[in-house]
Amino acid sequence: MDSLPLYRQLAAHYVDAIHAGSLKAGDKLPSLRSLMRLHDISLSTALQLCRAMESEGWVEARDRSGYFVRRPQRLVIAAMEEPASGLPPDPAQFVNMRTRMANFMARGRLNEVKLNFAISRAAPELYPAEALRNAMTRALRQRPELLTTASSQKGHEQFRQVVAQRNLRVGMTVAPDDVLVTNGCIEALNLALRAIAKPGDTVAVESPTFYGLLQVLESLGLRGLEIPTSPQTGISLEALDLAIHTYDDIKAVVVVPHLQNPIGSVMPDAHKQRLVQLCESHGIALVEDDTYSDLVETEVPPRAIKSWDRTGNVVYCASLHKVLAPGLRLGWITAGRWHAQVEMLKYAQTRNNEALAQIAAGEIIASGGYDRHLRRLRERLHTQRDQTADAIARYFPSGTRLNLPRGGFQLWVELPERLSSVAVFEAALREHMLVAPGAQFSNAARFDHYLRINCGWPFSEAVDAGLRRLGQIVEEGCAAQKSLPASASAATRSPRVAVQSSRARAA
Amino acid sequence: MDSLPLYRQLAAHYVDAIHAGSLKAGDKLPSLRSLMRLHDISLSTALQLCRAMESEGWVEARDRSGYFVRRPQRLVIAAMEEPASGLPPDPAQFVNMRTRMANFMARGRLNEVKLNFAISRAAPELYPAEALRNAMTRALRQRPELLTTASSQKGHEQFRQVVAQRNLRVGMTVAPDDVLVTNGCIEALNLALRAIAKPGDTVAVESPTFYGLLQVLESLGLRGLEIPTSPQTGISLEALDLAIHTYDDIKAVVVVPHLQNPIGSVMPDAHKQRLVQLCESHGIALVEDDTYSDLVETEVPPRAIKSWDRTGNVVYCASLHKVLAPGLRLGWITAGRWHAQVEMLKYAQTRNNEALAQIAAGEIIASGGYDRHLRRLRERLHTQRDQTADAIARYFPSGTRLNLPRGGFQLWVELPERLSSVAVFEAALREHMLVAPGAQFSNAARFDHYLRINCGWPFSEAVDAGLRRLGQIVEEGCAAQKSLPASASAATRSPRVAVQSSRARAA
């Protein structure tokens, strides 16, 4: 026990207290300040203690209130294991996502979809429609020439100021002129990669990662190199390091440090810092896609990777699409040493963004309305995530695994028996449900037995019934697979064994 | 005389009548129907007759009213000559516009600009601000979830329907599903060229052409081949044909058939048709940028090149930015056989467009408000163009030449003595005026002695004074140039001689 770091020893102490019942579900852990005093430890040790307990699912952070003991762990659902980062990475390969995605999307469009678990945002009612509408109507009334004059090339000045100011909260010091407004984060990523790399170059990405990024790589003629990524801590720095030494043509690394899509990981600050150094020392550009950080449920907002950047090697991309208003295409980029190049590319690609959305969003952020919205949104999503995870635990066969992310609206679910998610996708579609099969998130076959399940919609009877039916579909799929004569499925249905069997097969 | 085509003989007859004073400025030419009856000719001959007289400046079309005899020709201002299309075209070259433009733009930003003649749109008060504002406010009120749900991937359905319907007026039959909404025409051009060509490929463009296109080519790693272009009839088909036979790697031709920017040409229908055939027969994609056709002052809207396309080889791009609302970034593309590819590229590049602007614009077009606005806009621009051309004729030294385009808000002015427009740009900037030097519109030095002058703003005393001062700057520049010992400027100041001298030097 003594060989464990101090924060681990203390965490074990509090876990014992939970087991013993002296800390019950809903109880508050001592505050950081109290922990420091109680155990005579530093702030960083107290934070490590809380985060370790949080990532293991014992406690949960609530905005500005501290850490609270969670409800009892789900009975049958096991956490996913860490990826095998010691393995050599996949060879650089040209991704071929577009056709695959086009097929999935066309299949979805051709069928009547009643329950869409494949979607990647929250329900409309979770966003501040009225505040947005009012801000826009006001802007239209107060600025009679808004629609009949061209808007500013870099973006509306007030909005860029608000963004620059907000960046301070995540440790970034940038001037409003360093912020270039784009059509969503996806245009920011396009511009970043066009400025950094040329067709044929290799870009390292997390594996799995969101298909939008894989499509961008393909459309720009870039090769994607998938780096194993932990559901807890994000991209494996060991695997990335190995990849850098194996392939000498990696031009950029793209990561989603906070609530990675689809896996939900949040990179620890120490990892972010090491990643900055690793990229910097090898002359590899680091692109940070920070779409989700405002959804992370922590007491303090997570620090941006860009905050450790001293040389302009980190390109920061973000957007309000998922967090403030899915009806807006409002993103931005702070492109470090590629700034001038990115600005020119943006001008040649789509010119300036329209001003109206920028004015409205800028006002809502500056007024504090955005932060109030975020607190409500995070609470709602927290509840929905728990309800969805509970339903999956209840309805899906044992051997199913998931990690409960620290925010956001999606769950990354590993199916038992390495059941193909494409089969589940097809079966679900026949019953008017859409799920996002794992094959959408990687060019490798590795994630074929995963599903991404949306939990951004209020947990209704229909959602509950849908998840129950999905669980049956998975169960039926597993049974059918087992009945095949050649099936190698000797795994029992105990989650513990499923973990080992999955590891054995993955290796 | 008999060897002339019939319409030419008849045109000479009417020009004689104008000289004789039997037709005076402001008088109406017989209507097309009357002409057919009077001379027993077909509709197409009557149209040829009117268009020939119009392009030579004797008459002008007024919306729905017919052709009217123009005021007396400007006293000192000569028309530009046709380009020498028999010359071999410039070799394919990598354009280097971005740095050049960045310099011009930075120079403009660093100086206080009081009069901007370099701008490429009309004054805010010439656009229907109130109708747009009302349509948007109404859409926000009537659709509570507009901002909190993602909008349609291809574009708002109603807007695409309106566009498809409007296309019928210019001879195009396309389904709403063939219309993909983009962030302005510039994104449409980007998508078209990305789908058609790959880096290193050659694209033929008009010469001169708008610098936005040259920037797009450069940013995509494409080589631009500049084809001589007539101020009257647009791209020289002879020169293009020659270029196609000289270079076997031309992947696409991009043209602005109506009110070409900066030159103001309008392609005759026969040219459009031949261009479609020429491209089709050589397997070269034809990209039509139709940004300005709604500004053409003709009785019937000019037919789109795309209307002759039977094989999907023509890609049609357009936008409302210059004609309805400079504050909106609303364009669209109908990409023929590249449709699926363009749709995927658009999704990977910027996702869908926001719906609000589409709803508002769609409503205004469908309600007839757009056509009413266009009639007013064309009238206003007509007056302003005449006033600006008159001022140039009055204030600029003899030898200055320009063509009065049949619509739009810019004049393309040839300076006497081959005076460098960059020198004029610098001198004007010192007096807080911005002009667009010819060097922005071509990679070749050929257009260094041209200026593009905006006439989209109401002709005020300040504009008049600014043009007077510009004229003095040009005059001083010419005088300084003449006083140089090595000056080859032996040309007299008679416009007629200037024409010849200019031709001799251009050859």
Side-chain angles (χ1 to χ4, degrees):
Chain A
M1 186 81 177
D2 280 357
S3 68
L4 282 177
L6 183 56
Y7 78 92
R8 279 252 154 247
Q9 297 178 32
L10 291 168
H13 164 72
Y14 282 100
V15 170
D16 284 349
I18 293 170
H19 280 309
S22 52
L23 277 173
K24 285 189 206 65
D27 282 355
K28 188 172 181 302
L29 267 201
S31 69
L32 289 173
R33 191 167 297 203
S34 307
L35 286 170
M36 289 164 66
R37 220 173 29 229
L38 275 168
H39 305 290
D40 192 21
I41 54 178
S42 68
L43 173 63
S44 87
T45 305
L47 265 171
Q48 276 183 306
L49 156 59
C50 293
R51 284 181 182 158
M53 290 189 67
E54 187 187 24
S55 77
E56 285 158 15
W58 296 106
V59 299
E60 62 192 16
R62 293 188 196 154
D63 266 347
R64 298 171 191 273
S65 321
Y67 289 88
F68 290 80
V69 176
R70 295 188 69 140
R71 291 182 297 151
Q73 290 287 295
R74 274 149 202 91
L75 289 176
V76 294
I77 208 99
M80 284 175 201
E81 69 192 297
E82 292 293 302
S85 63
L87 295 176
D90 292 353
Q93 53 207 337
F94 185 80
V95 292
N96 183 28
M97 289 307 291
R98 287 196 284 175
T99 322
R100 201 189 302 172
M101 275 308 299
N103 289 343
F104 282 126
M105 285 158 74
R107 302 270 298 114
R109 271 197 300 269
L110 287 176
N111 286 271
E112 189 199 356
V113 171
K114 288 176 184 164
L115 269 177
N116 191 342
F117 291 114
I119 212 161
S120 172
R121 56 181 184 272
E125 62 263 37
L126 269 63
Y127 297 102
E130 204 183 329
L132 284 160
R133 205 161 54 229
N134 290 344
M136 281 200 174
T137 308
R138 200 162 44 238
L140 287 167
R141 200 176 52 231
Q142 290 172 349
R143 300 164 198 251
E145 292 198 344
L146 184 63
L147 303 173
T148 54
T149 46
S151 40
S152 157
Q153 249 178 59
K154 291 171 173 230
H156 197 261
E157 195 173 331
Q158 215 173 327
F159 179 71
R160 287 185 289 116
Q161 264 167 8
V162 164
V163 166
Q165 199 168 5
R166 197 169 174 83
N167 280 340
L168 293 172
R169 290 161 34 107
V170 293
M172 279 166 68
T173 315
V174 297
D177 269 357
D178 298 331
V179 176
L180 179 71
V181 175
T182 59
N183 290 289
C185 192
I186 205 76
E187 184 176 38
L189 290 171
N190 270 273
L191 296 170
L193 290 173
R194 286 183 66 191
I196 294 163
K198 55 177 197 313
D201 282 347
T202 297
V203 173
V205 299
E206 295 152 319
S207 183
T209 193
F210 65 112
Y211 48 81
L213 177 59
L214 298 178
Q215 285 178 311
V216 171
L217 295 185
E218 183 178 2
S219 72
L220 297 177
L222 298 169
R223 294 146 60 89
L225 181 63
E226 299 190 18
I227 307 294
T229 298
S230 152
Q232 297 295 342
T233 55
I235 194 165
S236 160
L237 299 178
E238 293 67 34
L240 178 62
D241 197 33
L242 185 58
I244 290 173
H245 288 95
T246 310
Y247 303 95
D248 56 3
D249 62 345
I250 300 176
K251 286 291 188 304
V253 180
V254 183
V255 294
V256 182
H258 309 122
L259 300 177
Q260 200 267 3
N261 180 0
I263 212 169
S265 55
V266 174
M267 283 181 77
D269 281 357
H271 282 225
K272 297 177 195 167
Q273 209 169 349
R274 273 175 56 204
L275 180 59
V276 169
Q277 286 157 358
L278 184 63
C279 290
E280 174 67 35
S281 66
H282 289 89
I284 296 170
L286 178 51
V287 180
E288 174 176 24
D289 171 351
D290 204 25
T291 301
Y292 301 102
S293 66
D294 281 342
L295 298 183
V296 179
E297 292 165 4
T298 47
E299 275 193 294
V300 284
R303 255 182 89 168
I305 292 179
K306 176 79 180 161
S307 71
W308 282 280
D309 180 25
R310 295 289 165 267
T311 61
N313 193 51
V314 178
V315 177
Y316 180 87
C317 306
S319 119
L320 294 173
H321 181 65
K322 310 268 188 180
V323 285
L324 178 64
L328 300 186
R329 300 291 313 146
L330 189 45
W332 60 91
I333 184 170
T334 296
R337 56 196 175 90
W338 292 275
H339 181 76
Q341 175 80 350
V342 160
E343 205 173 299
M344 268 298 176
L345 285 172
K346 162 72 176 155
Y347 184 75
Q349 181 165 294
T350 56
R351 296 280 186 276
N352 48 294
N353 273 49
E354 293 172 6
L356 180 58
Q358 299 177 60
I359 294 172
E363 243 185 70
I364 291 174
I365 295 174
S367 73
Y370 179 56
D371 280 319
R372 284 191 297 277
H373 152 68
L374 282 179
R375 278 196 292 277
R376 279 193 302 268
L377 178 61
R378 283 189 296 247
E379 271 169 33
R380 293 285 297 270
L381 292 179
H382 186 110
T383 307
Q384 292 168 196
R385 225 165 35 243
D386 273 353
Q387 289 166 322
T388 308
D390 282 346
I392 291 172
R394 206 175 311 128
Y395 299 134
F396 279 49
S398 72
T400 301
R401 303 193 295 185
L402 64 78
N403 285 68
L404 212 51
R406 282 197 266 160
F409 37 66
Q410 31 220 15
L411 293 176
W412 183 236
V413 179
E414 183 181 350
L415 302 178
E417 317 282 347
R418 298 187 69 77
L419 180 68
S420 165
S421 60
V422 175
V424 176
F425 171 87
E426 296 291 348
L429 201 54
R430 281 192 291 273
E431 308 195 17
H432 309 296
M433 294 188 289
L434 205 59
V435 295
Q440 289 185 357
F441 302 92
S442 166
N443 203 47
R446 229 181 353 226
F447 299 101
D448 186 44
H449 61 299
Y450 285 80
L451 288 180
R452 193 188 67 185
I453 298 282
N454 174 275
C455 50
W457 259 249
F459 193 83
S460 61
E461 273 182 38
V463 169
D464 189 63
L467 289 170
R468 186 167 58 230
R469 188 61 199 117
L470 264 187
Q472 287 164 356
I473 288 170
V474 171
E475 185 134 34
E476 287 156 15
C478 290
Q481 192 161 284
K482 273 193 187 160
S483 70
L484 288 178
S487 168
S489 167
T492 79
R493 292 169 68 93
S494 124
R496 190 63 215 147
V497 178
V499 171
Q500 292 168 339
S501 117
S502 171
R503 179 178 292 152
R505 285 179 205 165
Chain B
M1 186 79 175
D2 279 358
S3 67
L4 281 178
L6 183 57
Y7 78 91
R8 278 253 153 244
Q9 297 176 32
L10 292 167
H13 163 73
Y14 282 101
V15 170
D16 283 349
I18 293 170
H19 280 309
S22 52
L23 275 174
K24 288 192 204 65
D27 282 356
K28 188 174 182 299
L29 267 202
S31 70
L32 289 172
R33 190 167 297 202
S34 307
L35 287 170
M36 289 164 65
R37 220 175 25 232
L38 274 169
H39 306 289
D40 192 21
I41 54 178
S42 69
L43 174 63
S44 88
T45 306
L47 263 173
Q48 276 183 306
L49 157 59
C50 292
R51 283 181 183 160
M53 292 190 64
E54 186 187 24
S55 77
E56 286 159 15
W58 296 106
V59 299
E60 61 192 15
R62 292 188 197 155
D63 266 347
R64 298 168 190 275
S65 321
Y67 289 88
F68 290 81
V69 177
R70 296 188 68 140
R71 293 183 294 152
Q73 292 287 295
R74 273 148 203 91
L75 291 177
V76 294
I77 208 100
M80 285 175 201
E81 69 193 296
E82 293 293 301
S85 63
L87 295 176
D90 293 351
Q93 53 209 333
F94 186 79
V95 292
N96 183 26
M97 291 305 292
R98 287 196 286 175
T99 321
R100 203 188 301 170
M101 277 306 300
N103 288 343
F104 282 126
M105 286 159 75
R107 303 270 296 114
R109 271 198 300 270
L110 286 175
N111 286 271
E112 189 199 356
V113 172
K114 289 176 183 162
L115 269 177
N116 191 343
F117 291 114
I119 212 161
S120 172
R121 54 179 186 274
E125 63 263 37
L126 269 64
Y127 297 102
E130 205 183 327
L132 285 160
R133 205 162 53 228
N134 290 344
M136 281 201 175
T137 308
R138 200 161 44 239
L140 287 168
R141 199 176 52 232
Q142 289 172 350
R143 301 165 198 250
E145 291 196 346
L146 184 63
L147 304 174
T148 55
T149 46
S151 39
S152 158
Q153 248 177 61
K154 289 170 174 232
H156 196 260
E157 196 172 332
Q158 215 174 328
F159 179 71
R160 287 185 290 117
Q161 265 166 8
V162 164
V163 166
Q165 199 168 5
R166 198 170 173 83
N167 279 341
L168 293 172
R169 291 162 33 109
V170 294
M172 280 166 67
T173 316
V174 297
D177 269 356
D178 299 331
V179 177
L180 179 71
V181 175
T182 59
N183 291 289
C185 192
I186 204 77
E187 185 176 38
L189 290 171
N190 269 274
L191 296 170
L193 291 173
R194 285 183 65 190
I196 294 163
K198 57 178 195 311
D201 281 348
T202 298
V203 173
V205 299
E206 296 153 318
S207 184
T209 192
F210 65 111
Y211 48 80
L213 177 58
L214 298 178
Q215 285 179 311
V216 170
L217 294 185
E218 182 177 3
S219 72
L220 296 177
L222 298 168
R223 294 146 60 91
L225 181 63
E226 299 190 17
I227 307 295
T229 299
S230 151
Q232 297 295 344
T233 56
I235 194 165
S236 161
L237 298 178
E238 293 67 33
L240 178 62
D241 196 33
L242 185 59
I244 289 173
H245 287 95
T246 312
Y247 303 95
D248 57 3
D249 62 345
I250 300 177
K251 286 292 187 303
V253 180
V254 183
V255 293
V256 183
H258 309 121
L259 300 178
Q260 198 265 6
N261 180 0
I263 211 168
S265 55
V266 174
M267 283 181 76
D269 281 358
H271 283 224
K272 297 177 195 167
Q273 211 170 346
R274 274 174 57 204
L275 180 60
V276 170
Q277 287 157 358
L278 183 64
C279 290
E280 175 66 35
S281 66
H282 289 89
I284 296 170
L286 178 51
V287 180
E288 175 176 24
D289 171 350
D290 204 26
T291 301
Y292 301 102
S293 66
D294 281 343
L295 298 183
V296 179
E297 293 164 4
T298 47
E299 274 194 295
V300 283
R303 256 183 88 169
I305 292 179
K306 175 81 180 160
S307 71
W308 282 279
D309 180 26
R310 296 288 166 266
T311 60
N313 192 52
V314 178
V315 177
Y316 180 86
C317 306
S319 118
L320 294 172
H321 181 66
K322 310 268 190 180
V323 284
L324 178 64
L328 299 186
R329 300 291 313 146
L330 190 45
W332 60 90
I333 184 169
T334 296
R337 56 196 174 92
W338 292 274
H339 180 76
Q341 174 80 350
V342 160
E343 204 173 301
M344 267 300 177
L345 285 173
K346 161 73 174 154
Y347 184 74
Q349 182 165 291
T350 56
R351 296 281 186 277
N352 50 293
N353 273 48
E354 293 172 5
L356 181 59
Q358 299 177 61
I359 295 171
E363 243 186 69
I364 291 174
I365 295 174
S367 73
Y370 178 55
D371 282 320
R372 284 190 298 277
H373 151 68
L374 283 179
R375 279 196 291 278
R376 278 193 302 266
L377 178 61
R378 283 189 294 248
E379 272 169 31
R380 293 285 297 269
L381 292 179
H382 186 109
T383 307
Q384 292 168 194
R385 224 165 37 242
D386 274 352
Q387 289 165 322
T388 307
D390 282 347
I392 291 171
R394 206 175 311 130
Y395 299 134
F396 279 49
S398 71
T400 301
R401 302 194 295 185
L402 64 78
N403 285 67
L404 212 52
R406 284 197 268 161
F409 37 65
Q410 32 219 16
L411 292 175
W412 182 236
V413 180
E414 185 182 349
L415 302 179
E417 317 283 346
R418 298 188 70 77
L419 181 67
S420 165
S421 59
V422 175
V424 176
F425 170 87
E426 295 291 348
L429 200 54
R430 280 192 292 273
E431 307 195 16
H432 310 296
M433 294 188 290
L434 205 58
V435 296
Q440 290 184 356
F441 302 92
S442 166
N443 203 46
R446 236 185 343 232
F447 299 101
D448 186 44
H449 61 298
Y450 286 80
L451 286 180
R452 193 187 67 186
I453 298 281
N454 174 275
C455 49
W457 259 250
F459 193 82
S460 61
E461 273 183 38
V463 169
D464 188 63
L467 289 170
R468 187 167 58 228
R469 188 59 199 117
L470 263 187
Q472 287 164 356
I473 288 171
V474 171
E475 186 134 34
E476 287 156 13
C478 291
Q481 192 161 283
K482 273 194 186 158
S483 71
L484 288 179
S487 168
S489 164
T492 79
R493 293 168 69 95
S494 127
R496 193 61 215 148
V497 179
V499 171
Q500 293 168 337
S501 116
S502 172
R503 179 177 294 151
R505 285 180 204 164

